[in-house]
Each structure stands twice: as structure tokens, then as C-alpha cells.
Amino acid sequence: MADTLLKFLFRDAPVRGEIVRLQDSWRQMVANHGYPAPVARLLGEMTAAAALLAANIKFDGALILQIQGNGPVRLLVVEVQPPMRLRATAKLRQTAAFGAEATLQALVNPGGEARCAITLDPSGRLPGQQPYQGVVPLIGETIAQVLENYLRQSEQVESKLWLAADEQAAAGVLLQKLPQEGGAAALPDADAWQRVGALTATVTRDELLTLSPAALAHRLYWEEQLDHFAPLQPRFQCTCSRRRSGRMLLALGRDEVDSILAERGDVEIVCDFCNARYAFDAVDVGQLFAGAGAAQADASIRH
Ligand SMILES: [Zn+2]
């Protein structure tokens, strides 16, 4: 079963819906990270949610969903690059200790100051142009509740989310109430939002994690008429590279890099998302900084 994101409209209700299920891509995202089960669950729910949100907006660029925590988990990040290329990572504190049933609030927000941010970073952003970012406090017991609050505040759109994840799969459903034209008289069915919501609320965690989006849509909405869009195929893809790692070393500065070299013999950058390792020895570092110096000199001659 390929990873799929299904988008559809209810013909007799002013509601649009999306269902996503990630299996291969999600397994690649958690492979070799050894996340404790509650952390994998949180990150998986965020990953499914980020895919749903990215597919829901008309925007050419990256969507980044991030929670900055102050508990055992200090950072959760999911990036969606067009078209539906996902990567995700979680960072725990060294001393992190929590039970298998630890809640969202216990994991990231014991101090009550955690924040959830959604960033939209346009493709081909010009220098000086800022990405759009919306930030909300972490209100809610689940990722779904936090994001429902976010959508209500930032987009003023009534939205409902159902999310589930374990180490094997990450999945979710998003419903959004469409704005009505022509007032209440134009409504084909005034109870439609409640009806579709109630149908979706019957979904179980097991159904989310094991059924394909098409099978789940059929099971939940078999009495409804749906108009389907072409399904999307989310994939795991990391955007790290040796070149980007080199730029990180340049940003650290020569002195800092030289001191790491003196201590360890080489400098290694490990990607937080995919665990790729980029090693630079003394010769690499020399070439890197010489290249950067030449580029700088070149730029100053031209100016
Ligand atoms: Zn990577």
C-alpha cells in the first residue's frame, strides 16, 4: 500500500476533506532514531498533520510545523517541501525521563510556555524577504486539538482533525467547513458540518493506522457523495547535502572549526533528519574556507 493523501469534497455538504496515511515514508523518518514510543507518536501525528495542512493550502513553498518544548522533548519539526516531500525530527533533552503513556503536555509543555509554529517559506524567496510564520500557545491535550485551535485563530476556518501514529504508520483526517455563499438559504443541508463530523468521529485509531485512505473514506462516508481530486503521493526526502553542511561550517567560523579539527582530527556534521554524516578533514576545511575567501574577494572586486 503506497503512501497516499486523498482530497475530496462532499457533494451535499459545504465541507472539504483529506485523508493521509504514511507508511514507507514514516518508517524512513523514524529509522535509526530510536525515538521512545510516545515521542514517535507525537512526531508521527505532527507529520500526518503537516502533510494534510500542506495539501490544504494553495502555496508554492515549504510548510514547516514546529513545536518548541520546555519538557523532556525540546523540539519537534516536520518539513513539507513541494510536492509532498516530507522529513521530520525530534530532539530530546539528555536527561529526558518519561513513561510510555506520557501526554503531549507532559512531554513538551510542563512549564506551560511551549509554542507551536507554522512557517510558510515560499519557493525562490528573495533575500530579505521573510517567510510567513504563525505562532500559538500549546492549548489542547493532543496535536489535533492544538492545530484545531491554530486553524480557528489564524485562518478563522472551522476545522476538525483526527490523527494517529505509531512506529509503523502515521495517519490523519482533516475536515474543513467551506465558506457559504448566499447565506443560510443557500445551504443544501444546515446540519451537514455536524453530520460529516459525527461520521468522521467514529473513526478508530486502528482504522486510521491500517486502512488505506480510499478504504477509510469508503467506510466512513459510504452514504455520502464525494468528489475526489487526484490523490497525492507523499514521500520521504531529506534536503541535506555536503554543500549545506559546508555552509554550516563557514557560519561557525574558521577558529571554531580549527579547534574541533585539533581535538578530533575531523569535523563531522550529522543531519538531524536522516542521520547522514558529512565529514570534513583538515584538507576539506582548508579548501572550504579558501573557496569562501575567494568568493568574498570576487564579490568585493565587483562592488
Ligand atoms: Zn538529511
mmCIF file of all heavy atoms in Angstrom, residues 87 236 238-241 271-276 278, ligand 1:
data_model
loop_
_atom_site.group_PDB
_atom_site.id
_atom_site.type_symbol
_atom_site.label_atom_id
_atom_site.label_comp_id
_atom_site.label_asym_id
_atom_site.label_seq_id
_atom_site.Cartn_x
_atom_site.Cartn_y
_atom_site.Cartn_z
ATOM 1 N N ARG A 87 10.079 15.452 5.722
ATOM 2 C CA ARG A 87 11.110 14.989 6.650
ATOM 3 C C ARG A 87 10.740 15.497 8.041
ATOM 4 O O ARG A 87 10.015 16.496 8.176
ATOM 5 C CB ARG A 87 12.512 15.430 6.239
ATOM 6 C CG ARG A 87 12.737 16.924 6.215
ATOM 7 C CD ARG A 87 14.192 17.227 5.875
ATOM 8 N NE ARG A 87 14.516 18.630 6.140
ATOM 9 C CZ ARG A 87 15.752 19.108 6.200
ATOM 10 N NH1 ARG A 87 16.782 18.322 6.011
ATOM 11 N NH2 ARG A 87 15.958 20.385 6.456
ATOM 12 N N PHE A 236 9.284 10.445 1.626
ATOM 13 C CA PHE A 236 10.353 10.962 2.483
ATOM 14 C C PHE A 236 11.482 11.483 1.604
ATOM 15 O O PHE A 236 11.884 10.817 0.643
ATOM 16 C CB PHE A 236 10.897 9.852 3.383
ATOM 17 C CG PHE A 236 12.205 10.200 4.033
ATOM 18 C CD1 PHE A 236 12.244 11.112 5.070
ATOM 19 C CD2 PHE A 236 13.386 9.650 3.573
ATOM 20 C CE1 PHE A 236 13.461 11.461 5.658
ATOM 21 C CE2 PHE A 236 14.599 9.984 4.155
ATOM 22 C CZ PHE A 236 14.630 10.889 5.203
ATOM 23 N N CYS A 238 15.126 13.985 2.286
ATOM 24 C CA CYS A 238 15.867 14.957 3.075
ATOM 25 C C CYS A 238 16.563 15.922 2.134
ATOM 26 O O CYS A 238 17.020 15.542 1.060
ATOM 27 C CB CYS A 238 16.883 14.269 3.975
ATOM 28 S SG CYS A 238 17.458 15.390 5.266
ATOM 29 N N THR A 239 16.633 17.182 2.562
ATOM 30 C CA THR A 239 17.250 18.204 1.702
ATOM 31 C C THR A 239 18.672 18.524 2.153
ATOM 32 O O THR A 239 19.262 19.489 1.706
ATOM 33 C CB THR A 239 16.413 19.502 1.730
ATOM 34 O OG1 THR A 239 16.109 19.810 3.092
ATOM 35 C CG2 THR A 239 15.129 19.345 0.951
ATOM 36 N N CYS A 240 19.222 17.677 3.033
ATOM 37 C CA CYS A 240 20.593 17.944 3.481
ATOM 38 C C CYS A 240 21.582 17.605 2.360
ATOM 39 O O CYS A 240 21.258 16.870 1.431
ATOM 40 C CB CYS A 240 20.929 17.147 4.737
ATOM 41 S SG CYS A 240 21.087 15.378 4.478
ATOM 42 N N SER A 241 22.789 18.163 2.434
ATOM 43 C CA SER A 241 23.824 17.871 1.443
ATOM 44 C C SER A 241 25.183 18.254 2.026
ATOM 45 O O SER A 241 25.255 18.984 3.024
ATOM 46 C CB SER A 241 23.579 18.667 0.156
ATOM 47 O OG SER A 241 23.748 20.045 0.407
ATOM 48 N N CYS A 271 23.160 14.931 10.026
ATOM 49 C CA CYS A 271 21.846 15.504 9.738
ATOM 50 C C CYS A 271 20.838 15.027 10.789
ATOM 51 O O CYS A 271 20.703 13.832 11.024
ATOM 52 C CB CYS A 271 21.386 15.096 8.342
ATOM 53 S SG CYS A 271 19.719 15.670 7.976
ATOM 54 N N ASP A 272 20.135 15.985 11.409
ATOM 55 C CA ASP A 272 19.131 15.637 12.428
ATOM 56 C C ASP A 272 17.972 14.853 11.835
ATOM 57 O O ASP A 272 17.273 14.136 12.539
ATOM 58 C CB ASP A 272 18.531 16.919 13.033
ATOM 59 C CG ASP A 272 19.529 17.619 13.930
ATOM 60 O OD1 ASP A 272 20.427 16.945 14.450
ATOM 61 O OD2 ASP A 272 19.402 18.846 14.086
ATOM 62 N N PHE A 273 17.713 15.037 10.552
ATOM 63 C CA PHE A 273 16.528 14.442 9.936
ATOM 64 C C PHE A 273 16.786 13.018 9.442
ATOM 65 O O PHE A 273 15.975 12.139 9.650
ATOM 66 C CB PHE A 273 16.057 15.306 8.767
ATOM 67 C CG PHE A 273 15.481 16.636 9.196
ATOM 68 C CD1 PHE A 273 16.282 17.757 9.331
ATOM 69 C CD2 PHE A 273 14.136 16.759 9.477
ATOM 70 C CE1 PHE A 273 15.754 18.973 9.729
ATOM 71 C CE2 PHE A 273 13.589 17.964 9.881
ATOM 72 C CZ PHE A 273 14.405 19.077 10.007
ATOM 73 N N CYS A 274 17.928 12.794 8.756
ATOM 74 C CA CYS A 274 18.129 11.494 8.108
ATOM 75 C C CYS A 274 19.370 10.767 8.606
ATOM 76 O O CYS A 274 19.684 9.683 8.130
ATOM 77 C CB CYS A 274 18.192 11.668 6.593
ATOM 78 S SG CYS A 274 19.700 12.466 6.031
ATOM 79 N N ASN A 275 20.082 11.373 9.563
ATOM 80 C CA ASN A 275 21.286 10.764 10.132
ATOM 81 C C ASN A 275 22.455 10.662 9.148
ATOM 82 O O ASN A 275 23.435 9.973 9.431
ATOM 83 C CB ASN A 275 21.000 9.365 10.689
ATOM 84 C CG ASN A 275 20.342 9.425 12.045
ATOM 85 O OD1 ASN A 275 20.579 10.362 12.801
ATOM 86 N ND2 ASN A 275 19.497 8.461 12.351
ATOM 87 N N ALA A 276 22.358 11.318 7.985
ATOM 88 C CA ALA A 276 23.504 11.311 7.058
ATOM 89 C C ALA A 276 24.680 12.013 7.744
ATOM 90 O O ALA A 276 24.488 12.959 8.508
ATOM 91 C CB ALA A 276 23.139 12.038 5.772
ATOM 92 N N TYR A 278 28.372 13.917 7.285
ATOM 93 C CA TYR A 278 29.258 14.629 6.361
ATOM 94 C C TYR A 278 30.528 14.956 7.129
ATOM 95 O O TYR A 278 30.509 15.755 8.066
ATOM 96 C CB TYR A 278 28.588 15.899 5.848
ATOM 97 C CG TYR A 278 27.278 15.624 5.123
ATOM 98 C CD1 TYR A 278 26.061 15.763 5.767
ATOM 99 C CD2 TYR A 278 27.281 15.204 3.789
ATOM 100 C CE1 TYR A 278 24.863 15.493 5.119
ATOM 101 C CE2 TYR A 278 26.086 14.936 3.131
ATOM 102 C CZ TYR A 278 24.888 15.084 3.799
ATOM 103 O OH TYR A 278 23.696 14.816 3.147
HETATM 104 ZN ZN ZN B 1 19.422 14.684 5.917
#
